[in-house]
Amino acid sequence: MTVFEGLQRRGLIAQTTDEAEIADLINQGKATFYIGFDPTADSLHVGHFMALCLMKRLQMVGNKPIILIGGGTAMIGDPSGKTDMRKMMTKETIQHNVDCFQSQMSRFIDFSADKALIVNNADWLLQLNYIDVLRDVGEHFSVNRMLSHECYKQRMERGLTFLEFNYMIMQSYDFYKLYQDYGCNMQFGGDDQWANMLGGTELIRRKLGKDAYAMTITLLLNSEGKKMGKTEKGAVWLDAEKTSPYEFYQYWRNVSDEDVIKCLKLLTFVPIEQIEEMERTLAGQQLNQAKELLAYELTELVHGEEAAKNAQEAAKAMFGGSGNSENMPTTTLKQDELTDGGIGLLSLMVYVGLASSNGEARRLVQQGGVSVNDEKVTDPKYIVHLEGETILRKGKKVFHKILVEE
């Protein structure tokens, strides 16, 4: 099985141009490819994870990844898949997010001996002269064709700003610049980026001639990735300060039955033959084993072996009834936050993030979905008296430990 065939069997490939040439480059380890990341937050999240795994997968067989940080395009905002214009960020915020991204990516990608690059498109986009862009780049883009793409159609109904309209030109220019300066001959992106990516390939070939060697390939990166990493508390982050290793493990341990095999294929390095064998026989206890394998593999990739083992042991201890809460997510309250040593259950659930509001907490309690120290509570007026260690449980799988500062 070739590398490219392996990507196909895992469901990673959605669309390509020049498929035979793309497969040949990847299989020989001769692809220099890029994936872009807009620094809209100070941490990567689960939605980025598929792209990082793909980069690592291809780098392991000799291909060279270029991580393009969108410090310049982030100042405009991509309309693809959006119903509203993205919030504008300051240069200082963007730079801070860029620094955070670079630190996190180093855990996945080997940057030694020129095996990979991180570049920031702010380095060239912010230096461009507007008239030069219109003359040298703008002439290669048809407005009618741009408006025919779904990403712009959706935004046209609500109002597409001229600022956002330029995003395709900027992203296309990125590929042109990477091709010229770094020999980048391939670009990867989500299926909602297809129009922007084609624009880059066409720009290279129009400016440099038909012999220019540039290709595009799209993945199930955004359509599938957008379904991942969302919880009641918000995004699942790769930063342990934002999402603890235990919470990260539990997120993957709790994926739906129909998604576990898909996630194993897309996100882990478990051999595809092993996953396909699991897929043929998956049922009952084997389903739980598959989810545990998924959770452990991804937690190890992101947080390391020790954190993965601790998270797995904590989860098994809780579900097994041993009560070992050593690695459980924990909140410590101060004495002055309590009244006579107690606090209302609804307020406590909101405080520790098990509910987004008192209304949501009330519904969970009244529906019998909340336990305090293994005792189900259905009274929304219940007062939790905190002594030593208190364990809140939401449903069957979400635990939180509460301590009181002495």
Side-chain angles (χ1 to χ4, degrees):
M1 179 178 64
T2 67
V3 176
F4 189 77
E5 288 169 346
L7 299 180
Q8 291 177 314
R9 284 173 66 176
R10 288 180 178 273
L12 281 163
I13 306 300
Q15 297 183 82
T16 64
T17 64
D18 312 289
E19 181 172 313
E21 291 85 352
I22 288 173
D24 186 56
L25 281 175
I26 288 175
N27 292 337
Q28 293 189 53
K30 294 182 178 179
T32 299
F33 66 96
Y34 94 89
I35 298 178
F37 298 80
D38 272 355
T40 55
D42 59 0
S43 172
L44 298 164
H45 53 71
V46 165
H48 297 118
F49 197 61
M50 194 184 303
L52 292 171
C53 288
L54 173 72
M55 286 188 151
K56 183 178 180 69
R57 224 182 283 277
L58 294 181
Q59 187 185 50
M60 289 169 63
V61 292
N63 297 289
K64 182 176 180 177
I66 298 177
I67 293 173
L68 178 65
I69 302 293
T73 42
M75 300 190 70
I76 295 177
D78 182 6
S80 303
K82 309 292 191 307
T83 57
D84 296 297
M85 182 175 171
R86 178 184 288 168
K87 181 180 178 181
M88 301 292 283
M89 297 184 293
T90 65
K91 291 183 180 180
E92 292 75 19
T93 298
I94 291 172
Q95 186 57 53
H96 171 70
N97 294 348
V98 166
D99 295 339
C100 293
F101 273 28
Q102 290 179 340
S103 175
Q104 289 182 331
M105 287 172 174
S106 296
R107 300 205 301 263
F108 298 90
I109 309 300
D110 181 5
F111 291 98
S112 66
D114 199 37
K115 294 177 183 176
L117 296 174
I118 292 182
V119 297
N120 188 338
N121 65 12
D123 293 342
W124 55 82
L125 291 182
L126 299 188
Q127 307 302 319
L128 288 175
N129 178 284
Y130 185 60
I131 299 300
D132 290 340
V133 172
L134 291 178
R135 287 176 56 87
D136 297 339
V137 182
E139 67 168 340
H140 297 288
F141 289 83
S142 162
V143 171
N144 289 344
R145 184 168 183 182
M146 292 172 73
L147 291 176
S148 70
H149 292 297
E150 195 61 33
C151 61
Y152 286 112
K153 282 183 180 179
Q154 294 175 0
R155 291 287 284 115
M156 283 290 287
E157 296 175 2
R158 290 177 173 247
L160 178 69
T161 68
F162 183 72
L163 185 70
E164 296 170 288
F165 192 64
N166 280 270
Y167 193 92
M168 180 184 288
I169 294 176
M170 297 295 97
Q171 184 170 330
S172 299
Y173 187 80
D174 284 342
F175 192 22
Y176 171 72
K177 187 71 174 175
L178 292 172
Y179 177 88
Q180 285 196 305
D181 292 358
Y182 301 100
C184 181
N185 52 22
M186 198 177 299
Q187 58 180 332
F188 288 74
D191 56 355
D192 66 350
Q193 294 293 312
W194 184 244
N196 294 343
M197 295 168 67
L198 286 180
T201 296
E202 292 174 0
L203 177 62
I204 291 171
R205 293 178 179 178
R206 287 176 181 174
K207 285 187 68 66
L208 303 179
K210 294 182 180 180
D211 294 333
Y213 204 48
M215 304 174 181
T216 61
I217 187 169
T218 69
L219 316 177
L220 294 175
L221 186 61
N222 281 289
S223 61
E224 296 298 333
K226 286 177 180 176
K227 299 175 186 176
M228 302 176 186
K230 298 295 184 181
T231 70
E232 294 171 353
K233 294 172 65 176
V236 176
W237 303 98
L238 305 192
D239 184 342
E241 296 298 318
K242 290 177 174 289
T243 300
S244 72
Y246 177 86
E247 291 172 306
F248 190 84
Y249 179 95
Q250 284 297 96
Y251 172 78
W252 295 110
R253 175 62 181 80
N254 297 332
V255 297
S256 63
D257 294 354
E258 58 269 21
D259 284 342
V260 61
I261 291 296
K262 181 194 302 180
C263 290
L264 280 167
K265 288 180 178 179
L266 295 175
L267 302 174
T268 76
F269 291 83
V270 175
I272 185 62
E273 295 82 3
Q274 179 182 341
I275 299 172
E276 290 174 342
E277 179 61 27
M278 294 171 63
E279 187 175 17
R280 286 190 289 269
T281 60
L282 201 62
Q285 183 60 29
Q286 292 174 324
L287 188 60
N288 288 328
Q289 292 172 354
K291 291 183 179 182
E292 289 176 0
L293 175 64
L294 172 69
Y296 183 87
E297 289 288 324
L298 296 187
T299 306
E300 183 181 30
L301 274 172
V302 174
H303 297 293
E305 182 179 6
E306 183 178 358
K309 287 181 178 179
N310 289 339
Q312 186 176 64
E313 289 171 3
K316 287 183 175 180
M318 294 309 301
F319 293 130
S322 71
N324 184 348
S325 61
E326 182 180 354
N327 297 295
M328 189 182 298
T330 302
T331 297
T332 300
L333 276 67
K334 297 179 180 178
Q335 289 287 350
D336 60 11
E337 294 176 295
L338 307 177
T339 301
D340 296 328
I343 183 173
L345 176 57
L346 304 188
S347 298
L348 182 61
M349 290 176 64
V350 173
Y351 188 91
V352 302
L354 293 187
S356 59
S357 66
N358 279 356
E360 180 189 348
R362 182 179 291 105
R363 287 192 296 274
L364 289 168
V365 171
Q366 291 175 333
Q367 292 168 3
V370 178
S371 296
V372 178
N373 290 332
D374 248 0
E375 292 187 9
K376 185 177 292 186
V377 177
T378 57
D379 180 6
K381 296 181 181 180
Y382 183 86
I383 302 297
V384 182
H385 292 281
L386 300 173
E387 296 180 3
E389 180 180 286
T390 300
I391 305 296
L392 282 187
R393 186 179 72 191
K394 182 176 73 171
K396 296 181 179 180
K397 302 176 180 179
V398 180
F399 296 84
H400 201 98
K401 178 170 63 177
I402 298 97
L403 303 175
V404 179
E405 190 174 80
E406 297 180 1

